[in-house]
Each structure stands twice: as C-alpha cells, then as structure tokens.
Amino acid sequence: MTTLVRYDEPTLPHRIEDPRVPKLIPAWSLRRRGALAVLAGLAVLLVLAGASPAAAHATLVRSDPAQGAVLESAPEQVRFTFSEHVSLLPDGVRVFDAAGEELDADATARGEQLDVELGDDLADGTVVVVWRVVSEDGHPISGSLAFSIGAPSAQVVAPPVAADDTSGPPWVLSVAAWAGYAALLLTTGLVAFVVLFLPDHHLADRARARLVRAARAGAVTAALAWLVGIPLTAVYQLGAGPGALGRGSTWGALDPLEYVVTGAVVGGVTLAVVLLGRGLIDRGRRLVALGACAVAVCAPALTGHTRAATPEVLAVGADMLHLVAGGIWLGGLVALVLVLPDLGGRRTLAAEVLARFSVVAAGVLVALVVTGTFLAWRVAGSWEVLVETGYGRLLLVKIAAALVAVLIAGWNRFALVPRLQDAAKRRERREGAHLLVRTTAAEAAVLVAVLLVTGFLVDRSPEQAPAAARTASTQPQVGTALLGGLTARVTLAPPRTGPSTVTVEIVDATGEPTEGLEAPRLRLSSGDVDLGALPATSVGPGTYSAPVVLPSAGTWQLQVSLRVSEFENPVAVVELVVE
C-alpha cells in the first residue's frame, strides 16, 4: 500500500475533511508515480542488458607447478592462486603418491594464495594434490592437481577423497536459509509497523495485540533458523557428514563473521520484541527497538555474494537497504492483513493506518527496485548468465514473482484503496476492507515465494555462462607482434572472464609457420595482477596453446618471448581486451 488517494468523512449535508488524516495527495501525483514506476522498469531492463559479468565466487587462476607438469626434481611447495581471497578448511589439502598413499604436507592460505609445503618423502612419479577451500562469498570450491617428478607413473590410484565436489548445498540448508530470511524480514517489519504506523488508540488494541503475537512468533522462528544454519553451513563447507560437528576444528573453520551475523540477527530480533512489550511503549524504547531491528535485518548483508561483488562497500550497502525495504514491505503487508478486518468498520482509523503506511511504502518499493536491480547486475551480470545458468534462471523466477507482487500492489493502491475510501455505508466499508485484505494477502504470499527463491539463491554460487555460449557470442581477440624477422599471431578465445585459451602462431615473412629454437615463453598481466608464465604446448607446426583463467575484465598485456638464435631472444607485448 503506497498512497491514500483521498479521504473525506461523510457528513450531512456536506463532506468535510477529517483533520486526523494527512493532507490529500492529488491525482496528478499518482500519475507521476505511475510514470516513474514505468521508467524504473525500463531502467531495470537497460541495466541488465548492458551489464558485464561479475564473478561471485573464487576461481583457480593458476598453479605452480602447472597441471600435468613433469619436473626434474621434487619441489619444496605447490602454490595455487585464486581470483579472490580464500580460506583453508581442516584437512582441506591432502597430498598422495601414485599408489594412493598420503604424504606429509602443510598448507596455509593467505589472501588469494594457497601454499602447500611438501615433505621430504617425495619420490619419483606422479603426485596428486587434492584441495578444498572456501571463497570469499562463503561457498566451498575444490579440485585436484597432478604433476610428476622425473617421469609420470604408469598407473595412478585415485585418491580416497573427492577430487572435485561440484554438488550444491543440501536442501535442508536452503530451507533453513529461506525460513531464516522470511522470519527475519517479517519480524522486523511487524515491529516497525506497530511502532511507526499503528495509532496509539484504544480501538486499535486488539489489532496491536495480534501484531505483537505475530512478531514474537516470527522472532522465535528467525532465531531457531539462523542458529540451525550455523552447523549446517559448517558441514556443507567441509563436505562432511554430521559426525564432523563433534570436532572442534569444524566449528573453528567457520568464518568468525558467520557467528557475528547470527548473533546480531538473534540478539536483534529478541531485543526488539522484548522492548515492544504489548505494543504501547514510550519514544525511547521505540527508537531502541527500531535500532535493534535495523541491526538484525542489515547483518546478513555482511556475508554471502555481496562480499565478493565490487565495489564491496556499495554492494553491501545496497544489500542492507534492500533487506530493510523488504522487511518493511513484507511486514507491512502481513500487518495490514491482520489489522484491517478489525479496523475496516472504523473508517477514520483504517484510513489513518493506510495513510501512515503510504508515506514510506512508495519509497520502499523504489528502494527494492533500485537495489534489487543493482545487486542482480553485480552478482549475475549479463543476459547470458540469466538464461544459460541455473542460478540465472532462478534469479529470473525471483524477478518475475516480484513483478507480480508489484502488479498486485498497483491494483490495491489505485483501485481498491479509493473504493474503500469512497464507501459511504458501513457494510460497503467492511466489504471493501475484506477485499483489500484478500488482495494484500495475495501480495504477501507472492513476496513469500520471492523469499523462497531467495533462500535457494543465497546458498548457490553464480556460475559463468557455458564456455560454448560465451565463445559463440564473442569474437576472439587477435593481435600481432614482431619478433625479429618473425611474426607472432596471438588469439584469445573467448575474450571473457573465466576459462580461456591463448594461441600463438609463429610465421615467417612469407606467412608460413616456422619455429624458434624452443617454444615461445608467454606471460600475462594487467595492472597489479600478474598471472605469471603460461604453459605453452605445441598443437601444430609453429602453433602453441596455453590455457588461462582470466579473473577480471580490462586490458591485458601478453608478453611473448622467442629464442630465434643462440644470441637473439626478441620480446614483444600484445594488448588483449577482456570483457
């Protein structure tokens, strides 16, 4: 409910305006708001259409040694470099020889790097390093690296652990997340409604008591759901069963911020409902209760996908505003469903409640649209991600459900509220109130469905669009460089963030493929990010290929070095633009 079109108290022989109702809102203002809503929708489409993808979970950029490398002697350490900060899990790195026997190793994670110090028991043959870390957005990623010392082993026994766990979070964690978010938004919204929008009138006592009971039930549900989420998150990140909860290392592996957020949510909703009491409280307790609600509802923005989005401060701030707006909207709708049946026959009181809520509801809707659009842009990032990935399709379902809620809200505000306001008879007012209650309940139900989808989105990492789709949609980047009397033709495909391939073709003055004394040496960098040497593999006469994972968009410099004779080693740089 955003606007009360007009309110006149019926009297005989003429109508007069009730002084308790806020000033009238002219019809031209309603039309202007409708036009602004249309413009906001167009802005949503334009932003989503022009957005570039933003990786919201860590990706392995490179390893040293590289996958499949054959070394002359045993290395002292193995280094993995990721696209963002990662944290190490208990037993997150294990090293095995070709026979499947575990070897001594000590792993540490600092920023984007994971270093594995190897023991002195390495023998010639193939070595397999299995790793599992947690990215900055709280999602676990895992994989394995195989390299050989001296020569590859004839047979390699698979490690007794999953080398690449691609399974998503368990359904029970998604359900707990949905229940936690829904109860949190509902509780904080109900408390805000009682404090801000419900008049301190004895005729509203019955409605006030109903809202207080609902807020208490919501607070209990929110606290339980968020507390249950802690152990569920721990075992999900470890990739282990419930038995792992008996180990202290399991609890210690969780990011301390997870405990801080859960404590803020549980403590905030508990303090809010305790201060609310029976609903009639003084100004000081109202402010503290609202502050407790703000802390509780904003805390979840400190974890999850927004921590990996850039700029982080703006993304986290937008997420906080999104949560506050969602709580006011959902809590306000449920509160209206609960109180309008009691206030429907009291035209002045019902109009006052609707008018008070309308003061902020329009702004809340705008905040939801703007922040939701921005977050979708930063987390998903492009139409390809929306239509080509499971995460994107879930996000589209959420957007569609939210649009349905907006349409129902428009019907309520521009059709049913004026009808209720213009009703002259008590029976007509009650019928209008009951109809408004049903449509408002439908609007709230759709918002709950939006929260249900959100609960599943929270525990899933946004994927990149499939490589085939990205390659087909973007032309490869091509550049050339002179290396003495030879030319290096460089191709980057696809020129997008994520997995890609660099191909270098060496040709002579006639355009025929030729070779140097050895394979060209390649090094890729961009600003402060240096991906280091790329392992170039011969794929044909004078043609070499190297896999690479591009962590960010922008202009990258590929340094190509080629020994053409015993004394000549020309170096050239080719600039490649990554979207």
Side-chain angles (χ1 to χ4, degrees), residues 482-501:
L482 295 177
L483 297 170
L486 304 179
T487 301
R489 296 174 180 169
V490 178
T491 303
L492 176 66
R496 302 287 298 270
T497 55
S500 187
T501 302

Side-chain angles (χ1 to χ4, degrees), residues 37 73 124 192 194 246 252 327 339 378 389-390 417 430 456 462 488 491 565:
S73 60
D124 288 352
V194 173
V339 304
R378 296 312 304 150
T389 68
V417 170
R430 283 195 174 276
F456 286 91
T491 303
S565 69

Side-chain angles (χ1 to χ4, degrees), residues 363-456:
V364 163
L365 187 57
V366 171
L368 280 171
V369 171
V370 173
T371 56
T373 300
F374 175 78
L375 292 172
W377 172 46
R378 296 312 304 150
V379 175
S382 71
W383 283 117
E384 291 176 9
V385 173
L386 288 176
V387 300
E388 298 290 344
T389 68
Y391 183 92
R393 286 187 286 269
L394 268 179
L395 187 57
L396 284 178
V397 171
K398 177 181 175 179
I399 293 172
L403 289 176
V404 171
V406 170
L407 291 176
I408 298 176
W411 172 256
N412 288 343
R413 291 155 194 163
F414 300 128
L416 299 187
V417 170
R419 183 185 305 177
L420 176 63
Q421 172 230 326
D422 293 334
K425 297 181 179 179
R426 185 181 182 89
R427 180 176 61 83
E428 293 177 349
R429 293 198 297 270
R430 283 195 174 276
E431 291 177 353
H434 287 309
L435 178 59
L436 186 59
V437 166
R438 288 194 294 270
T439 56
T440 303
E443 186 179 348
V446 175
L447 284 181
V448 171
V450 171
L451 288 174
L452 177 62
V453 178
T454 301
F456 286 91

Side-chain angles (χ1 to χ4, degrees), residues 4 336 340 343-355 420 433:
L4 181 65
L336 289 176
L340 281 181
L343 304 180
R346 303 176 177 91
R347 182 178 181 184
T348 300
L349 198 57
E352 185 175 355
V353 171
L354 293 173
L420 176 63

Side-chain angles (χ1 to χ4, degrees), residues 14-94:
H14 61 278
R15 293 172 179 257
I16 62 173
E17 184 175 297
D18 193 319
R20 290 171 295 178
V21 180
K23 293 184 179 294
L24 304 179
I25 300 176
W28 66 266
S29 178
L30 297 182
R31 291 193 294 270
R32 183 176 64 177
R33 291 181 182 181
L36 289 176
V38 173
L39 292 176
L42 293 176
V44 172
L45 296 178
L46 290 174
V47 170
L48 287 179
S52 59
H57 59 286
T59 302
L60 180 63
V61 175
R62 67 179 183 273
S63 64
D64 184 17
Q67 172 69 25
V70 179
L71 310 178
E72 294 181 358
S73 60
E76 294 183 357
Q77 75 168 15
V78 176
R79 170 166 291 180
F80 298 91
T81 303
F82 296 88
S83 58
E84 64 180 49
H85 288 207
V86 295
S87 56
L88 187 61
L89 294 167
D91 298 325
V93 176
R94 300 175 67 181

